[in-house]
Amino acid sequence: MRAYLFGVWRTVAQRYGFVEWEAPTVEPTELYLKKSGGELPTQLFRFKDQGERDISLRPELTASLGRMVAACHLDYNKPLKWYEIGSCFRYEKPQKGRLREFVQFNADILGEGSEGADAELLALAIDCMRELGFTADDFVVRVSDREVWLRFAADHGIPEERTPDFLSVVDKYERDRPEVCSEKLAAFGLTREELVSFIQNPPAGISPRFDAVLADLQARGLADYVQLDLCVVRGLAYYTGLVFEIFDKAHSLRAVAGGGRYDRLVETLSDGSVKMAATGFAMGDAVIAHLIDSCPAARALRDAALQPNTCDVFLALAAPEMRPQMLRVATSLREAGLRVDLPLAPAKLAKQLRHAERLGATYAAVIGAEFPAVELKHLASRTSQQLQAGELAAALTRQS
Amino acid sequence: MRAYLFGVWRTVAQRYGFVEWEAPTVEPTELYLKKSGGELPTQLFRFKDQGERDISLRPELTASLGRMVAACHLDYNKPLKWYEIGSCFRYEKPQKGRLREFVQFNADILGEGSEGADAELLALAIDCMRELGFTADDFVVRVSDREVWLRFAADHGIPEERTPDFLSVVDKYERDRPEVCSEKLAAFGLTREELVSFIQNPPAGISPRFDAVLADLQARGLADYVQLDLCVVRGLAYYTGLVFEIFDKAHSLRAVAGGGRYDRLVETLSDGSVKMAATGFAMGDAVIAHLIDSCPAARALRDAALQPNTCDVFLALAAPEMRPQMLRVATSLREAGLRVDLPLAPAKLAKQLRHAERLGATYAAVIGAEFPAVELKHLASRTSQQLQAGELAAALTRQS
């Protein structure tokens, strides 16, 4: 299953001109305390190594990316379009769509602050979903703009230092019971009704950035997948502008993916020495796996890709004394790039052919006393042809 | 670099009919204390998680494999031919060819105890090296047989419980100073001369298993890569039969790969409930990277594979008002499976084309006021042709 997801992520990222990078699995804990905020620091797999250094298993990839880019950005042309697929770790109660070790696909564009970068990134996220077999009936990209909320907070007299707390009330607005939400908002001199009305009927043109991105996606034919939804704030402290989350249409699962602009993270991680605009998103393997299970078209694509077909041809041995000849044939077929399996120990021919079928081999080539004459069986159709061993590679390459 | 290695490992493993599996990164520490012996337990990245469990980052993959196979072997046809590529962690002084976080390629055949499995595994290891561009002039597979040493120990009256200590003297024989080695051997009533003579002139037929494997590799045309070398013992306690290590011919580096038969590990890990013959090897990313650097043919293959070519076509925008048209073209080319990049923000045409060249794009398609007429430039040859936007996908697919 993961191999299938990895393949789709990699294929789509490459179509968008993204290149792969790699982060270390273990990082100094400080890296995460410095930047993330939110609940992340409490969820770290954190420990002291034998040299008494405070280290953590990476809970996400963006901090490593920011640090790496701050250190070596002069070596690359901007904008950077980078992706990574790797394991991340969070110490929390395992639950549906959340595991302690999970895999994330991260894609980021650094060194470009314009809405063109936001749109390119959203298009990539949408195309990952489309490539997995999902349509606009299955998922929606909810896009929001933190700038809108910063202006809202300023307009309502919320002091700057309390704005992060206000954002976290908005972040929890959908999940909190109304009376809890009301109570939290009262502390900011706001009523829940004001908030609801602002979210449900945002003034036209409230986010010029969103409007520009929507126009871009419209031109790409991808506008149907996105909607402005100010509910989305994203938990992490480092986001600065446009943020988004992908949800299943029924909203029955956690977010499938999430991300946004983080224009100040590289600066923070480099202690102010490197300023670089950035936007990125992450998609984990757990929620998307549930969503694939629940969508027939996506499930069919996945099942087709996961059909066991590990083998183009199985070399069956009908005459034990021909084992050296069989091994020589195996080498030459493998040198021709074919996927070849063979019996490792003597076994009856019928048993060998059964094993070949279970492996999902396309062909079995029966090597017997008549060698170099060989019988090539197409296992699914149960048809066969006679040919010479020397013709096998060409015949199989033509037919596979 | 890693992406290149991963690609080669994966390709060759698939040609041999191996399927990919995945191990968790974090395991209970007990798993490694139970099975490995040797120096591994002192090198663990070991810590207590927030639930006070004693856990470790995996130092290798075989223990996870053994446990997994013991638990679920009934779900699969034997023999299992499984491979994995994953990060491993050892807390030791970083040095040439040894890093604290490194990647291992593991390949294992489980459920088959015959020499056919040993030979198939050795052939896979050899073909990984050949696929990387190495020849018999560059590397050698030193094969040994622990059974030979067990018999040697018995013949020389070494009691069974002291045999592991004796094996570790043999393991260090090449590295220890002669007087240190002599002193260690004296404790077993042996002289260094006896050992040297046995290693340098092993009696013919001393290892029937090695002879059978050599005959098999001979039939495959791969015998030139291996030699019997009783020096090799392998540090880990769990090996039982044939063991091997791959070295550069000049023996100037640590082992490139190592492995062997471990017929009792699954039994140990399942507390005796599952018996399963097994053989496997691991190749890390660090030593092989040094070896590639030092071998011109291997270096050339790697450099060719790593040529930056992240992009089939860069869409350059000569007329800003045509941006929506360019975005639409990008979508359709990406839908056709092409790797497409584009300017995320307005820039002069010359700058865009320079960026396209730096990306290693094969083509640039210039979209200007004449759209849907488009100029398709082949960047390396600086030739160009005029065509309609609707013809781009077909033209690029044909030429790429």
Side-chain angles (χ1 to χ4, degrees):
Chain A
M1 170 62 193
R2 279 188 174 173
Y4 167 65
L5 269 182
F6 291 6
V8 168
W9 286 336
R10 204 162 263 141
T11 301
V12 180
Q14 287 171 356
R15 262 187 228 155
Y16 275 74
F18 281 66
V19 296
E20 196 163 8
W21 66 285
E22 278 179 280
T25 308
V26 178
E27 290 275 17
T29 300
E30 187 200 27
L31 182 65
Y32 304 110
L33 302 183
K34 201 166 174 177
K35 65 135 244 197
S36 310
E39 57 188 0
L40 212 49
T42 64
Q43 297 175 342
L44 292 172
F45 267 96
R46 176 180 178 177
F47 55 105
K48 285 221 163 47
D49 73 9
Q50 297 180 25
E52 290 297 304
R53 273 170 294 255
D54 185 347
I55 57 179
S56 289
L57 302 187
R58 61 187 181 201
E60 48 105 66
L61 300 167
T62 309
S64 301
L65 174 65
R67 196 206 43 191
M68 185 180 306
V69 166
C72 69
H73 70 105
L74 292 175
D75 301 340
Y76 300 96
N77 291 302
K78 262 65 77 178
L80 306 175
K81 299 169 83 173
W82 284 9
Y83 77 96
E84 152 137 31
I85 296 168
S87 286
C88 297
F89 305 82
R90 293 190 193 173
Y91 192 86
E92 53 186 338
K93 200 161 157 304
Q95 49 192 297
K96 188 170 182 183
R98 289 237 171 162
L99 301 168
R100 284 183 179 166
E101 176 170 354
F102 55 97
V103 175
Q104 262 193 3
F105 166 60
N106 262 243
D108 296 86
I109 302 176
L110 297 107
E112 178 55 58
S114 72
E115 56 266 17
D118 296 303
E120 177 84 344
L121 190 80
L122 276 162
L124 169 62
I126 293 165
D127 266 351
C128 284
M129 298 297 288
R130 298 205 305 164
E131 187 78 11
L132 288 167
F134 297 113
T135 68
D137 293 336
D138 303 311
F139 75 97
V140 60
V141 187
R142 300 164 70 195
V143 184
S144 178
D145 184 348
R146 278 209 177 191
E147 293 292 335
V148 168
W149 285 112
L150 297 183
R151 261 197 327 275
F152 180 96
D155 291 349
H156 289 77
I158 298 172
E160 214 170 297
E161 68 277 10
R162 292 187 62 205
T163 304
D165 291 336
F166 171 66
L167 288 179
S168 93
V169 179
V170 177
D171 185 41
K172 298 209 167 56
Y173 145 82
E174 281 187 300
R175 277 167 288 160
D176 278 344
R177 276 180 297 125
E179 55 276 25
V180 173
C181 182
S182 293
E183 200 184 309
K184 288 180 179 175
L185 285 169
F188 296 96
L190 290 167
T191 65
R192 187 164 181 280
E193 289 61 40
E194 283 175 279
L195 197 75
V196 171
S197 138
F198 185 73
I199 288 173
Q200 293 185 344
N201 305 296
I206 188 82
S207 172
R209 177 64 70 133
F210 174 78
D211 296 343
V213 166
L214 188 65
D216 181 307
L217 293 174
Q218 187 93 52
R220 296 173 191 245
L222 300 176
D224 288 352
Y225 299 93
V226 299
Q227 64 184 43
L228 180 66
D229 187 335
L230 295 176
C231 282
V232 174
V233 178
R234 306 285 296 146
L236 299 175
Y238 58 73
Y239 286 110
T240 50
L242 223 61
V243 290
F244 67 91
E245 291 180 343
I246 302 182
F247 282 94
D248 64 298
K249 205 75 179 230
H251 205 334
S252 64
L253 299 168
R254 285 164 178 276
V256 172
R261 197 157 264 293
Y262 55 97
D263 284 343
R264 284 193 293 270
L265 180 65
V266 175
E267 188 178 352
T268 307
L269 293 175
S270 65
D271 294 318
S273 67
V274 181
K275 293 193 199 329
M276 194 176 305
T279 182
F281 80 94
M283 185 182 290
D285 61 332
V287 179
I288 195 79
H290 288 300
L291 194 57
I292 290 172
D293 278 335
S294 70
C295 168
R299 210 164 55 218
L301 276 183
R302 178 200 59 191
D303 292 346
L306 292 185
Q307 274 300 317
N309 171 20
T310 57
C311 183
D312 298 315
V313 60
F314 187 92
L315 302 182
L317 191 58
E321 72 279 11
M322 290 294 165
R323 190 166 180 86
Q325 286 76 357
M326 178 200 68
L327 291 169
R328 184 66 235 178
V329 170
T331 299
S332 66
L333 295 180
R334 284 167 174 165
E335 282 171 354
L338 291 157
R339 297 170 308 159
V340 179
D341 215 337
L342 47 83
L344 298 175
K348 293 214 171 112
L349 182 61
K351 196 179 165 199
Q352 295 178 47
L353 293 174
R354 225 163 33 236
H355 185 63
E357 284 186 345
R358 289 206 191 107
L359 290 174
T362 312
Y363 290 93
V366 181
I367 291 171
E370 315 71 27
F371 187 88
V374 170
E375 184 189 0
L376 184 63
K377 289 172 175 284
H378 185 258
L379 291 173
S381 68
R382 296 184 179 271
T383 55
S384 66
Q385 52 180 309
Q386 300 291 327
L387 37 70
Q388 295 294 303
E391 302 166 342
L392 268 176
L396 290 164
T397 309
R398 206 164 45 238
Q399 287 160 0
S400 72
Chain B
M1 170 61 195
R2 280 188 174 173
Y4 167 65
L5 269 181
F6 292 6
V8 169
W9 287 335
R10 204 163 264 138
T11 302
V12 180
Q14 288 172 356
R15 265 187 225 154
Y16 273 75
F18 281 67
V19 297
E20 195 163 9
W21 66 286
E22 277 180 280
T25 308
V26 178
E27 290 277 16
T29 300
E30 188 200 25
L31 182 64
Y32 304 110
L33 302 184
K34 201 167 178 175
K35 67 135 239 197
S36 308
E39 57 187 2
L40 212 50
T42 64
Q43 296 175 342
L44 293 172
F45 267 96
R46 176 179 179 177
F47 54 104
K48 286 220 161 50
D49 74 5
Q50 297 180 26
E52 290 296 304
R53 272 170 294 255
D54 185 347
I55 57 179
S56 288
L57 301 188
R58 60 185 184 203
E60 48 106 68
L61 300 166
T62 309
S64 301
L65 174 65
R67 195 205 43 191
M68 188 181 303
V69 166
C72 69
H73 71 105
L74 292 175
D75 300 341
Y76 300 94
N77 290 301
K78 260 66 74 176
L80 305 174
K81 298 171 83 174
W82 283 10
Y83 77 95
E84 152 136 33
I85 297 169
S87 286
C88 297
F89 304 83
R90 292 189 195 173
Y91 193 86
E92 52 185 341
K93 199 160 158 305
Q95 49 192 297
K96 188 169 182 185
R98 289 237 171 163
L99 301 169
R100 285 184 177 164
E101 176 171 353
F102 55 97
V103 175
Q104 262 192 3
F105 166 60
N106 262 244
D108 296 85
I109 302 177
L110 297 107
E112 177 55 57
S114 72
E115 56 266 18
D118 296 302
E120 175 85 343
L121 191 79
L122 275 162
L124 169 63
I126 292 165
D127 266 350
C128 284
M129 297 298 286
R130 299 205 305 164
E131 187 78 11
L132 288 167
F134 297 113
T135 69
D137 293 334
D138 303 311
F139 74 97
V140 60
V141 187
R142 300 165 70 195
V143 184
S144 178
D145 184 348
R146 279 210 174 192
E147 293 292 336
V148 168
W149 284 112
L150 297 183
R151 259 194 332 271
F152 180 96
D155 291 349
H156 289 78
I158 298 173
E160 212 170 299
E161 67 278 11
R162 293 186 63 203
T163 303
D165 291 336
F166 171 66
L167 288 178
S168 95
V169 179
V170 178
D171 185 40
K172 296 208 169 56
Y173 146 80
E174 281 188 299
R175 278 166 289 160
D176 278 343
R177 276 179 297 125
E179 55 275 26
V180 172
C181 181
S182 294
E183 199 185 310
K184 287 181 179 172
L185 285 169
F188 296 97
L190 289 167
T191 66
R192 187 164 181 280
E193 289 60 41
E194 284 176 279
L195 196 74
V196 170
S197 139
F198 186 73
I199 288 172
Q200 292 184 346
N201 303 299
I206 187 83
S207 172
R209 178 64 69 132
F210 174 78
D211 296 342
V213 166
L214 188 65
D216 180 307
L217 292 175
Q218 187 93 53
R220 296 173 192 245
L222 300 177
D224 287 351
Y225 299 94
V226 300
Q227 63 183 43
L228 179 66
D229 187 335
L230 294 176
C231 282
V232 173
V233 179
R234 306 285 297 146
L236 298 175
Y238 57 73
Y239 287 109
T240 49
L242 223 61
V243 290
F244 67 92
E245 291 180 342
I246 301 181
F247 281 93
D248 64 299
K249 205 76 180 230
H251 204 338
S252 65
L253 298 169
R254 286 165 174 273
V256 173
R261 198 158 263 295
Y262 54 97
D263 284 344
R264 286 195 293 271
L265 181 65
V266 175
E267 188 178 352
T268 307
L269 293 175
S270 66
D271 293 319
S273 66
V274 181
K275 292 194 200 328
M276 194 175 304
T279 182
F281 79 94
M283 185 181 291
D285 62 331
V287 180
I288 195 78
H290 288 300
L291 193 57
I292 290 171
D293 277 336
S294 71
C295 169
R299 210 165 54 218
L301 276 182
R302 179 200 60 193
D303 292 346
L306 292 184
Q307 273 302 316
N309 171 19
T310 57
C311 182
D312 298 314
V313 59
F314 188 91
L315 302 181
L317 191 58
E321 71 279 11
M322 290 294 165
R323 190 165 179 86
Q325 285 77 358
M326 177 200 67
L327 291 169
R328 184 66 235 177
V329 170
T331 299
S332 66
L333 294 181
R334 284 167 173 166
E335 283 172 354
L338 290 157
R339 298 170 307 159
V340 179
D341 214 336
L342 47 82
L344 298 175
K348 292 213 172 112
L349 182 59
K351 197 180 163 197
Q352 295 179 47
L353 292 174
R354 224 160 35 235
H355 185 61
E357 285 185 346
R358 290 207 190 106
L359 290 173
T362 312
Y363 290 93
V366 181
I367 291 171
E370 317 69 31
F371 187 89
V374 171
E375 185 190 0
L376 184 63
K377 288 170 177 285
H378 185 259
L379 291 174
S381 67
R382 296 184 180 272
T383 55
S384 66
Q385 52 180 309
Q386 300 291 328
L387 37 69
Q388 296 294 301
E391 302 165 342
L392 268 175
L396 290 164
T397 309
R398 205 164 46 237
Q399 287 161 358
S400 74

